[in-house]
């Protein structure tokens, strides 16, 4: 892994560094096709199916954000439900003031990004495990604070206004498209961020924080950006949740279960890869759909699977694929090629 | 007088919170584990006590004698199996594994014992009786007993850690795991002992909470875990007596909050936690900055 800095290696024409062995344009095109096909779903499938997919979009968005935090920035948050709840409540507040919930969603998400700044100032004082628990306490405090407002329904919540007079079929379709758009935007944002300068800083921090700091990497700023982006993403998912449930209930939107689901989906799929959360979300949805009639069993099994994967397959299901096929659909690392077909390419970054 | 009452009640509930928190602090101090399943394990202890009491009609206080060793053994076994193997893989893995345990326990209790709340020893004279100080202050004997138990537990832990040979091993491993290992200490066994102590204390906390209030499957995360963490952070990480101080500060803040507005009890506690984070992130008792 030290090749990048080892100056004794002669730089010759035989070496070159690429992002990936495959052409990224193809996976980009593939992703676009998937999004377009998914966008056509409301015309071809029943509303029951789109409702399940909206749930999947929420989990996938959350998992991508948690993956960005824990997998790349080393920020293990157990309090992301705070942003899910805030996003839902911001949509509710704007809708109560007459805005369409669909139009309110981006405003609410950005608003939560602004709220994330002072919250970061609070929780950034703690590291690792205590950072995790501080975010959790913060989420609990935010919920208690919001429950104080009787105009927002206090401890019981309110139905989401702004849908009166709309065709129910249209609402379902719009909800689906909004969920799809949020997920696509979240994943694109993670990909672009990690391909850019931020990705380099985060890699440097992951490999050696002290060395990164002494080389002038602005570690605190990088973590702040990740925290704010994850706040915006989780808030957007919370907004989609509010719209799809047509109501906002404090204990439901601020449930720690959201964080458990996003963390477990990420861990099962593969932490620190963009593909991981997709696989993890698929596993989660299959478990949830097949075990839905057995009450809490899917959560028990999800927890057990997450423990087993965390202990025995640290890189998750996608890690198993990657080990065998060296396949990256969304490459954010680098490959070093040594001449034409001269051995296997080495990954400079996992 | 109402304010004095709030402070007295707050100080006494601080003893209960210290019982939740001291095991957590011990686990963090010795093996740097943040145990997200701590509260759920306390709830398990409460449920086991309820099960034993209903099955054998054993007196409530005798059930403590059975449950605490059982939980201590469970702690040793958990540490030697899942937690030790997650420790070898880094902080993130221990968080995920304990979060997974928490979710499995909570939903398991929900699945098998429903969401009903359960109390321990309802109608017992210890649970219902109280004494008066002046005309306006009523103090429950139960809270006094719990506070005394917390002080005894902390004294016992302190004596154990500073006086006994196992205690010295625990401190040695906490200070420098590799050096202790080179000197022949089996750190895995030492970690197991520390986990047994931690779960023994939190089992007391779970049973005490079941007598003081009610237990349900979500009590572990909603109440016990969060209060324990808040007490640990307020008191200072890794400090044993700090957990009692943190618990007392949390308890007093909650009671004063409730005095201002009955629905602000919990929020007031968390606001004090956030204030400590801002003003004194190393906690009230600790001198050095935490990393």
């Amino acid at each position: 892994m030290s090749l990048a800095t080892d100056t004794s290696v002669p730089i010759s024409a035989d070496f070159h560094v690429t992002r990936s062995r495959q052409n990224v344009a193809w996976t980009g095109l593939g992703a676009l096709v998937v999004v377009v096909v998914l966008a056509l779903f409301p015309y071809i499938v029943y509303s029951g199916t789109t409702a399940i997919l909206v749930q999947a979009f929420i989990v996938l968005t959350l998992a991508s954000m948690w993956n960005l935090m824990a997998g790349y920035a080393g920020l293990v948050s157990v309090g992301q439900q705070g942003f899910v709840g805030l996003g839902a409540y911001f949509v509710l507040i704007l809708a109560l003031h007459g805005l369409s919930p669909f139009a309110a969603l981006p405003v609410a998400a950005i608003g939560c990004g602004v709220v994330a700044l002072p919250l970061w100032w609070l929780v950034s004082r703690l590291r690792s495990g205590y950072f995790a628990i501080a975010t959790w306490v913060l989420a609990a405090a935010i919920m208690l604070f919001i429950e104080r407002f009787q105009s927002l329904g206090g401890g019981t919540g309110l139905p989401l206004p702004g849908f009166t007079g709309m065709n129910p079929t249209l609402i379902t379709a719009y909800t689906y498209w909004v969920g799809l758009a949020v997920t696509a935007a979240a994943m694109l944002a993670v990909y672009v961020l990690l391909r850019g300068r931020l990705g380099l800083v985060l890699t440097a921090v992951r490999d050696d924080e002290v060395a990164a700091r002494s080389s002038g990497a602005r570690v605190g700023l990088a973590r702040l950006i990740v925290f704010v982006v994850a706040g915006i993403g989780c808030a957007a998912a919370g907004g989609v949740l509010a719209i799809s449930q047509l109501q906002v209930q404090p204990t439901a939107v601020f449930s720690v279960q959201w964080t458990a689901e996003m963390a477990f989906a990420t861990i099962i799929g593969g932490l620190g890869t963009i593909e991981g959360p997709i696989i993890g979300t698929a596993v989660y949805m299959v478990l949830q759909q097949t075990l839905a009639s057995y009450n809490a069993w899917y959560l028990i099994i999800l927890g057990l699977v997450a423990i087993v994967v965390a202990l025995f397959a640290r890189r998750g299901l996608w890690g198993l694929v990657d080990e065998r096929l060296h396949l990256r659909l969304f490459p954010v690392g680098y490959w070093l090629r040594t001449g034409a077909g001269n051995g296997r390419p080495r990954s400079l970054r996992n | 007088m109402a304010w004095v009452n709030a402070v007295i009640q707050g100080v006494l509930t601080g003893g209960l919170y210290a019982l939740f928190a001291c095991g957590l602090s011990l686990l963090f101090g010795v093996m740097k584990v943040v145990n997200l399943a701590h509260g759920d394990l306390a709830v398990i202890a409460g449920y086991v006590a309820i099960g034993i009491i209903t099955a054998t009609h054993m007196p409530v206080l005798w059930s403590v004698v059975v449950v605490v060793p059982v939980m201590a053994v469970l702690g040793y076994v958990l540490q030697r199996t899942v937690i030790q193997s997650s420790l070898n893989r880094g902080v993130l893995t221990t968080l995920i594994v304990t979060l997974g345990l928490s979710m499995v326990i909570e939903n398991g209790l929900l699945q098998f014992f429903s969401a009903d709340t359960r109390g321990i020893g309802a109608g017992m004279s210890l649970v219902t009786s109280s004494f008066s100080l002046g005309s306006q202050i009523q103090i429950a004997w139960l809270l006094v007993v719990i506070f005394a138990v917390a002080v005894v537990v902390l004294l016992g832990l302190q004596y154990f850690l500073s006086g006994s040979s196992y205690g010295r091993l625990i401190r040695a491993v906490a200070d420098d795991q590799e050096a202790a290992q080179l000197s022949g200490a089996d750190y895995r066994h030492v970690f197991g002992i520390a986990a047994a102590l931690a779960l023994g204390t939190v089992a007391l906390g779970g049973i005490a909470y079941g007598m003081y209030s009610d237990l349900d499957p979500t009590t572990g995360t909603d109440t016990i875990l969060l209060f324990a963490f808040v007490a640990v952070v307020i008191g200072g990480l890794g400090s044993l007596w700090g957990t009692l101080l943190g618990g007392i500060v949390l308890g007093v803040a909650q009671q004063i909050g409730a005095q201002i507005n009955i629905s602000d009890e919990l929020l007031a506690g968390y606001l004090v936690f956030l204030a400590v984070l801002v003003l004194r992130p190393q906690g009230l008792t600790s001198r050095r900055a935490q990393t």
Side-chain angles (χ1 to χ4, degrees):
Chain A
M1 293 295 165
S2 63
L3 275 172
T5 52
D6 190 351
T7 49
S8 67
V9 176
I11 313 270
S12 71
D14 280 354
F15 288 89
H16 72 278
V17 174
T18 60
R19 285 287 189 171
S20 162
R21 288 197 298 175
Q22 298 88 26
N23 191 342
V24 186
W26 287 111
T27 44
L29 192 67
L32 195 67
V33 168
V34 168
V35 171
V36 169
V37 169
L38 281 173
L40 294 173
F41 265 37
Y43 298 108
I44 40 182
V45 299
Y46 292 110
S47 61
T49 313
T50 55
I52 294 169
L53 282 170
V54 169
Q55 280 187 53
F57 292 150
I58 293 171
V59 175
L60 180 52
T61 308
L62 293 174
S64 297
M65 292 301 139
W66 201 83
N67 181 39
L68 176 67
M69 292 182 78
Y72 292 95
L75 297 171
V76 185
S77 165
V78 196
Q80 288 307 100
Q81 72 271 22
F83 288 105
V84 176
L86 268 185
Y89 266 96
F90 278 16
V91 167
L92 175 68
I93 293 167
L94 291 168
L96 287 172
H97 286 86
L99 207 61
S100 155
F102 298 111
L105 184 86
V107 185
I110 300 297
C112 286
V114 175
V115 173
L117 290 169
L119 299 186
W120 172 251
W121 178 69
L122 280 172
V123 294
S124 61
R125 292 145 187 276
L126 297 170
R127 278 278 156 265
S128 70
Y130 281 86
F131 171 83
I133 205 63
T135 56
W136 192 343
V137 174
L138 206 55
I142 293 171
M143 182 184 89
L144 291 166
F145 180 70
I146 281 183
E147 282 185 345
R148 285 175 55 101
F149 293 96
Q150 288 308 317
S151 59
L152 294 177
T156 48
L158 282 180
L160 190 62
F163 294 109
T164 40
M166 276 180 81
N167 180 347
T169 319
L170 216 53
I171 295 177
T172 318
Y174 275 142
T175 307
Y176 176 83
W177 283 322
V178 166
L180 178 63
V182 164
T183 310
M187 299 202 64
L188 187 67
V190 170
Y191 182 59
V192 169
L193 274 178
L194 292 175
R195 290 273 289 206
R197 204 180 154 74
L198 183 82
L200 275 177
V201 173
L202 294 177
T203 313
V205 173
R206 185 203 58 186
D207 288 345
D208 190 335
E209 183 169 341
V210 177
R213 280 181 187 278
S214 62
S215 317
R218 299 176 70 181
V219 178
L221 182 69
R223 288 204 169 116
L224 165 72
I225 292 171
V226 166
F227 188 76
V228 170
V229 168
I232 293 173
C234 291
V240 174
L241 176 72
I243 291 171
S244 67
Q245 306 276 317
L246 298 175
Q247 61 165 342
V248 179
Q249 197 207 345
T251 48
V253 293
F254 283 104
S255 167
V256 71
Q257 201 176 309
W258 292 114
T259 295
E261 285 171 6
M262 63 179 98
F264 293 163
T266 308
I267 290 292
I268 292 170
L271 186 74
T273 60
I274 294 187
E275 297 86 348
I278 303 175
I279 309 275
T281 304
V283 172
Y284 169 79
M285 290 310 295
V286 168
L287 273 180
Q288 196 226 36
Q289 289 301 314
T290 49
L291 299 171
S293 49
Y294 300 96
N295 304 323
W297 270 108
Y298 84 93
L299 291 171
I300 300 174
I301 292 177
L302 188 69
L304 288 174
V305 172
I307 293 173
V308 169
V309 170
L311 289 178
F312 300 109
R314 289 180 62 199
R315 295 180 57 214
L317 297 180
W318 186 260
L320 298 178
V321 174
D322 187 33
E323 262 166 35
R324 281 164 186 72
L325 305 175
H326 296 282
L327 184 65
R328 285 292 163 94
L329 298 180
F330 302 99
V332 292
Y334 296 90
W335 289 87
L336 181 71
R337 284 199 200 202
T338 55
N342 185 12
R344 268 197 351 219
R346 272 185 79 176
S347 171
L348 288 179
R349 178 179 175 193
N350 287 320
Chain B
M1 239 7 201
W3 297 98
V4 179
N5 183 39
V7 171
I8 293 175
Q9 305 292 343
V11 169
L12 289 176
T13 38
L16 178 63
Y17 299 161
L19 279 181
F20 298 160
C22 63
L24 204 64
S25 186
L26 187 70
L27 286 178
F28 184 79
V30 175
M31 45 197 131
K32 304 286 176 279
V33 167
V34 173
N35 178 17
L36 296 177
H38 204 64
D40 297 292
L41 290 162
V43 174
I44 285 195
Y47 272 59
V48 171
I50 295 169
I52 290 176
I53 292 163
T54 38
T56 65
H57 302 287
M58 183 187 276
V60 172
L61 294 181
W62 278 103
S63 75
V64 173
V65 181
V66 179
V67 174
V68 170
V70 167
M71 291 304 288
V73 170
L74 177 68
Y76 186 87
V77 172
L78 266 182
Q79 172 62 38
R80 290 303 296 263
T81 52
V82 271
I83 298 180
Q84 183 60 53
S85 47
S86 68
L87 265 180
N88 302 337
R89 292 170 171 78
V91 179
L92 175 73
T93 313
T94 61
L95 281 170
I96 289 296
V97 166
T98 54
L99 184 64
L101 271 180
S102 159
M103 190 145 134
V104 170
I105 293 171
E106 193 172 317
N107 288 291
L109 291 175
L110 201 62
Q111 186 70 37
F112 293 110
F113 299 98
S114 82
D116 297 347
T117 58
R118 285 149 214 271
I120 299 176
M124 232 174 100
S125 62
L126 175 65
V127 175
T128 51
S129 62
S130 58
F131 63 93
S132 313
L133 275 182
S135 59
Q136 289 177 30
I137 299 175
Q138 283 275 326
I139 294 172
W141 272 113
L142 179 67
L143 272 181
V144 177
V145 170
I146 291 174
F147 190 90
V149 167
V151 171
V152 169
V153 163
L154 289 174
L155 277 174
L157 276 179
Q158 192 191 23
Y159 175 76
F160 180 80
L161 289 176
S162 59
S164 73
S165 59
Y166 266 123
R168 276 196 297 277
L169 268 179
I170 289 177
R171 282 185 297 130
V173 171
D175 270 353
D176 190 335
Q177 186 185 319
E178 282 179 7
Q181 214 177 332
L182 284 174
S183 319
D186 177 6
Y187 73 95
R188 290 188 187 85
H189 179 61
V190 175
F191 281 180
I193 300 282
L197 284 174
L199 281 212
T201 56
V202 87
L204 278 176
I207 295 170
Y209 191 79
M211 297 169 80
Y212 169 71
S213 176
D214 284 319
L215 293 170
D216 70 64
T218 60
T219 311
T221 44
D222 288 350
T223 307
I224 300 180
L225 179 70
L226 286 185
F227 289 1
F229 271 107
V230 169
V232 169
V233 172
I234 292 178
L237 304 183
S239 153
L240 219 45
W241 288 98
T243 59
L244 184 61
L245 179 66
I248 288 174
V249 171
L250 175 65
V252 171
Q254 286 178 343
Q255 292 299 326
I256 288 179
Q259 192 64 42
I260 297 167
N261 181 344
I262 189 71
S263 60
D264 283 344
E265 180 179 340
L266 297 176
L267 188 58
Y270 296 145
L271 288 180
V272 169
F273 165 81
L274 295 177
V276 168
L277 267 193
V278 173
L279 302 172
R280 209 178 151 75
Q282 71 271 40
L284 296 179
T285 58
S286 173
R287 257 177 239 99
R288 64 201 163 84
Q290 68 203 42
T291 50

